[in-house]
Amino acid sequence: MEQYDARIERLREKTGTLPLQPGVYLMKNKAGTVIYVGKAKLLRNRVSSYFRSLDKHLPKVAKMVENVEDFNFIVTTSELEALVLECSLIKQYNPKYNILLKDAKGYNYIRISDPEGWSRITCEKSRKEDGAEYVGPFTSSFIVKETVEEVNRAFMLPTCSRQFPESIGNERPCLNYHIKRCCGVCTGRIPFREYRETISQAVQLIKGGRGAVIDGLTEQMNAAAENLDFEKAAALRDRIRALERVGEQQRAVLDGGVDTDVIAAATGGGLCCISMLIFRQSRLTDKRDFFFEEPDSVPTLLSEFIAQYYTEPERIPKKVLLRGECDDMTLLAKLLTGRVGRRVEITRAQRGEPLKFAEMASENAAQSLSTRTRQEGHSRWSSRDIAALNELAELLSLSSPPEYIEAYDISNIGGQTIVGGMVVFESGKPLRSAYRRFSIRDTFGAPDDYASLREVITRRINEFHAARARGEKTGFGRLPDLILLDGGPGQLSTVKPLLTGEDFHPPVFGMVKDKKHRTRAIAADGGEITISAHRMAFTLVSTIQNETHRYAVSYARRSHTKKTLELSLTKAPGIGPARAKALLLHFKTLTAIKAATVEELAEVKGMSRPAAEQLKLFFEQEE
């Protein structure tokens, strides 16, 4: 520990010599290996922050600081120059604590066999020197498979195993021909020239998009109609309709014609997935997923990802569309503009079609992350849970999705019974084993929901400290990532001052209902946050609020019933509150108590034989 303190003190002193200028810093370990490269607007302020308030560092930063033995720095003339240099040094050193992109090893191609003959269009995992034409590479097998199925279906191309021209006229047509999924080359009714023209149109669709193909087919259809070749015109009309139907089924068409990459991130189960949808000429052409350890800050991760991914000019689109926040967006746009030699726009999706595709990217990230986390044993994480929690984190400006959520509600019946309920949601699902009930100890002379809530949260904090003192980090010893209160600004202002301790200060928000008792918004310090437009987050918060209310109300009703029974028992001579509670605890119901014999009543803790006889006599007289 002394060596650690001496090292930190030495590094802290060295930061005092740094200039207040932009630049890049390189953290090194004992072996002199560069383990982290970062950029800074003001070098002294940024680097010195690593060696102050060590206990407040996020886990990844704390681990990196533990291994720093020394650092170097390079002064630059601007932030942009620092960003360019940072990217170059990361590529050079591959530092352990920076994000490092690894391209997928596998690529996918669309293969057009026998370019001058009876071609087939298929999906392939690799490119071979076999004389066929290959389109690609694509990193997404899904996109390749979807494209191949689309063109084969729209142009009614054969997908069977028969060889042409050897099989022409030798065998009966297969089922695909009879259900109009194949043009029937095997029947011998398709001239070779017509087939080659169809293949040419299919390849044009793959390379250039649907619009140009439909325009060409429309011209041919009109020409055939003018020449009174109505059979050919009808066939061309059917092909155009088939292409249009396929286009309607594929919703991933981005208007505007601007090459765009849509990027979103999802975190959960200790991992983060960045998903990228690649649109070229308005059409979704590829999808890529990148996995990292769960970051301390998603906006920072996105910034580092963009800076490192777009190093090659041919990768850089005209527009990068983001689902959430990203650090240094203006600076990154300047960096990419300089790399490619034309203007590049980086924006956050806000509404309309851009938001629709940003949400699609987010759903893809959640789905990919769900698949990966299940493979690694995190069975509780589903894609829907991941997407909802990530959306909620973005909505509430949380640094990461809240994996462990506690929600509280106060319920009272007629001012006589006041209780509190706490429900827990872990990974987006109810964790019923962690639910807790609170009987309000101080009645305050009158029903007071705010004072009752204050008591419940105070007891929760005390239980947390007691559990931690015992070395427990589960149950009450676990720190929630988020606290939700059933209520608005009043409940929020009641609880906020209680959550100022160093050990227990999770973010807290209220869940606001409308006049019909349905979830309407989230109460925050600055007012209300509307959530109705955020489908998955809205569903999750509504579920939590309804479950919290149900749990608190059901406990209040049971407590009220029990109190009522206890009061009815205390009317009997010799039965006070303590004996009434003991009787109900033993027999559960008033009916069972009345049916019990004197001997059975006397067996209850705290009951004497005379008291049992008096109670039995009291019941007989009542009847």
Side-chain angles (χ1 to χ4, degrees):
M1 187 65 184
E2 290 180 3
Q3 291 178 350
Y4 178 78
D5 290 341
R7 177 178 61 85
I8 293 297
E9 187 60 35
R10 173 173 54 81
L11 293 170
R12 188 181 295 138
E13 288 178 5
K14 185 176 179 179
T15 61
T17 66
L18 294 174
L20 289 170
Q21 291 178 253
V24 173
Y25 54 92
L26 298 87
M27 300 293 192
K28 298 181 178 182
N29 62 13
K30 286 182 179 181
T33 304
V34 175
I35 60 173
Y36 185 75
V37 175
K39 70 177 187 312
K41 186 176 182 179
L42 299 172
L43 276 168
R44 186 192 305 169
N45 294 353
R46 183 71 186 97
V47 179
S48 64
S49 69
Y50 287 104
F51 310 111
R52 295 194 308 263
S53 303
L54 302 182
D55 57 329
K56 294 184 179 178
H57 284 328
L58 294 166
K60 187 177 179 181
V61 177
K63 189 67 176 175
M64 187 269 290
V65 171
E66 283 181 19
N67 290 280
V68 175
E69 188 66 25
D70 197 6
F71 62 83
N72 287 343
F73 65 93
I74 303 170
V75 177
T76 60
T77 58
S78 67
E79 277 190 87
L80 179 58
E81 188 176 315
L83 180 58
V84 173
L85 180 58
E86 179 194 34
C87 294
S88 175
L89 293 173
I90 289 172
K91 194 172 183 180
Q92 177 182 344
Y93 290 111
N94 289 327
K96 179 179 180 179
Y97 292 99
N98 287 93
I99 71 160
L100 302 174
L101 297 184
K102 296 180 182 179
D103 288 334
K105 295 179 181 177
Y107 290 94
N108 297 271
Y109 296 85
I110 297 175
R111 180 177 183 268
I112 299 97
S113 68
D114 193 5
E116 303 299 327
W118 297 87
S119 303
R120 300 289 190 95
I121 298 177
T122 57
C123 310
E124 298 295 335
K125 290 287 185 183
S126 60
R127 183 170 186 160
K128 301 176 183 176
E129 297 299 327
D130 56 0
E133 180 183 356
Y134 287 85
V135 180
F138 301 92
T139 55
S140 171
S141 60
F142 168 77
I143 296 297
V144 171
K145 184 179 178 182
E146 185 183 66
T147 302
V148 168
E149 288 179 353
E150 174 186 329
V151 295
N152 282 331
R153 184 167 62 250
F155 291 97
M156 299 174 66
L157 299 176
T159 58
C160 61
S161 60
R162 295 175 182 178
Q163 301 296 317
F164 303 122
E166 293 84 355
S167 298
I168 295 178
N170 294 334
E171 298 181 57
R172 294 170 59 186
C174 64
L175 179 62
N176 281 344
Y177 172 75
H178 294 291
I179 62 174
K180 301 189 183 300
R181 292 289 297 271
C182 177
C183 60
V185 175
C186 57
T187 65
R189 299 172 187 171
I190 307 297
F192 177 72
R193 182 176 177 181
E194 181 181 329
Y195 186 80
R196 287 303 315 163
E197 185 179 348
T198 302
I199 289 291
S200 176
Q201 292 168 353
V203 174
Q204 185 182 359
L205 173 65
I206 292 169
K207 294 180 176 180
R210 186 177 293 100
V213 177
I214 289 179
D215 289 343
L217 290 174
T218 302
E219 289 180 10
Q220 293 179 38
M221 180 184 69
N222 292 335
E226 289 177 5
N227 295 330
L228 305 181
D229 190 350
F230 298 116
E231 185 176 348
K232 182 178 181 180
L236 290 168
R237 177 203 63 200
D238 292 342
R239 181 164 296 169
I240 291 168
R241 287 178 178 174
L243 285 170
E244 288 173 342
R245 281 196 300 272
V246 170
E248 289 170 0
Q249 292 167 4
Q250 185 191 33
R251 66 187 182 106
V253 178
L254 188 63
D255 291 339
V258 177
D259 288 353
T260 303
D261 289 351
V262 185
I263 300 174
T267 62
L271 290 175
C272 177
C273 174
I274 292 180
S275 190
M276 176 188 293
L277 302 181
I278 300 173
F279 289 83
R280 297 295 180 264
Q281 296 180 346
S282 300
R283 190 165 175 266
L284 178 60
T285 60
D286 207 352
K287 178 180 86 78
R288 304 197 68 185
D289 292 323
F290 302 84
F291 291 91
F292 308 94
E293 290 182 8
E294 189 166 350
D296 298 325
S297 167
V298 172
T300 300
L301 175 67
L302 284 172
S303 177
E304 294 178 10
F305 170 80
I306 290 170
Q308 290 187 44
Y309 178 78
Y310 294 110
T311 54
E312 301 168 11
E314 58 268 21
R315 273 186 173 182
I316 303 175
K318 291 184 178 179
K319 189 172 183 179
V320 177
L321 191 63
L322 303 173
R323 176 66 178 97
E325 295 288 346
C326 174
D327 292 345
D328 304 319
M329 284 174 60
T330 303
L331 205 60
L332 288 168
K334 290 181 180 178
L335 175 69
L336 301 194
T337 296
R339 285 177 178 174
V340 78
R342 55 170 165 74
R343 184 173 181 269
V344 177
E345 183 182 357
I346 301 179
T347 59
R348 182 183 175 191
Q350 300 286 350
R351 59 183 67 85
E353 189 179 64
L355 181 59
K356 179 185 76 172
F357 286 110
E359 288 175 344
M360 184 195 298
S362 184
E363 289 173 9
N364 274 275
Q367 184 63 55
S368 298
L369 186 61
S370 174
T371 301
R372 175 68 69 90
T373 52
R374 280 200 299 271
Q375 290 171 351
E376 297 187 3
H378 299 277
S379 58
R380 285 183 65 85
W381 288 95
S382 71
S383 60
R384 183 176 294 275
D385 297 330
I386 291 171
L389 291 170
N390 277 268
E391 194 171 82
L392 183 61
E394 181 186 347
L395 199 62
L396 303 182
S397 300
L398 304 178
S399 59
S400 61
E403 181 178 347
Y404 195 80
I405 301 173
E406 290 182 0
Y408 295 85
D409 188 20
I410 300 297
S411 181
N412 74 77
I413 297 178
Q416 299 173 349
T417 304
I418 307 174
V419 300
M422 179 190 95
V423 304
V424 174
F425 274 62
E426 183 180 38
S427 305
K429 294 183 175 67
L431 184 63
R432 291 184 172 84
S433 62
Y435 286 16
R436 294 293 183 270
R437 306 185 186 98
F438 298 86
S439 294
I440 304 303
R441 296 166 180 169
D442 190 345
T443 57
F444 315 105
D448 188 335
D449 283 359
Y450 295 152
S452 300
L453 183 59
R454 188 182 301 112
E455 179 188 322
V456 167
I457 299 298
T458 300
R459 287 165 59 184
R460 170 67 180 98
I461 296 171
N462 293 338
E463 290 285 356
F464 171 78
H465 289 133
R468 284 297 174 96
R470 296 190 298 270
E472 299 173 6
K473 292 190 176 181
T474 57
F476 273 143
R478 184 169 181 178
L479 183 67
D481 300 314
L482 172 66
I483 287 179
L484 295 175
L485 310 172
D486 190 359
Q491 283 80 0
L492 198 59
S493 61
T494 297
V495 169
K496 270 282 198 181
L498 304 175
L499 305 178
T500 56
E502 289 188 6
D503 297 331
F504 198 94
H505 53 274
V508 58
F509 295 87
M511 299 178 290
V512 185
K513 291 181 179 178
D514 59 18
K515 293 180 179 179
K516 295 183 179 180
H517 297 282
R518 295 177 300 195
T519 305
R520 177 174 60 82
I522 290 179
D525 282 342
E528 291 186 357
I529 301 172
T530 303
I531 60 172
S532 56
H534 303 268
R535 175 171 52 87
M536 293 184 179
F538 176 79
T539 301
L540 175 61
V541 173
S542 297
T543 301
I544 293 173
Q545 186 169 31
N546 291 336
E547 176 67 358
T548 310
H549 182 71
R550 179 202 66 78
Y551 186 67
V553 168
S554 64
Y555 178 46
R557 286 173 178 165
R558 287 199 301 273
S559 297
H560 187 68
T561 301
K562 185 179 177 182
K563 283 186 178 180
T564 303
L565 292 175
E566 287 176 3
L567 287 172
S568 66
L569 283 173
T570 56
K571 294 177 182 178
I575 304 297
R579 280 179 171 172
K581 284 184 180 180
L583 286 164
L584 283 170
L585 187 64
H586 185 87
F587 291 102
K588 309 301 182 185
T589 66
L590 186 60
T591 303
I593 296 172
K594 289 181 177 181
T597 64
V598 172
E599 288 72 18
E600 289 171 338
L601 291 172
E603 289 176 0
V604 177
K605 185 178 178 181
M607 286 289 290
S608 64
R609 174 81 185 191
E613 291 174 349
Q614 280 189 312
L615 181 59
K616 191 66 178 175
L617 181 61
F618 174 77
F619 287 146
E620 290 172 355
Q621 290 173 348
E622 263 196 340
E623 292 175 359

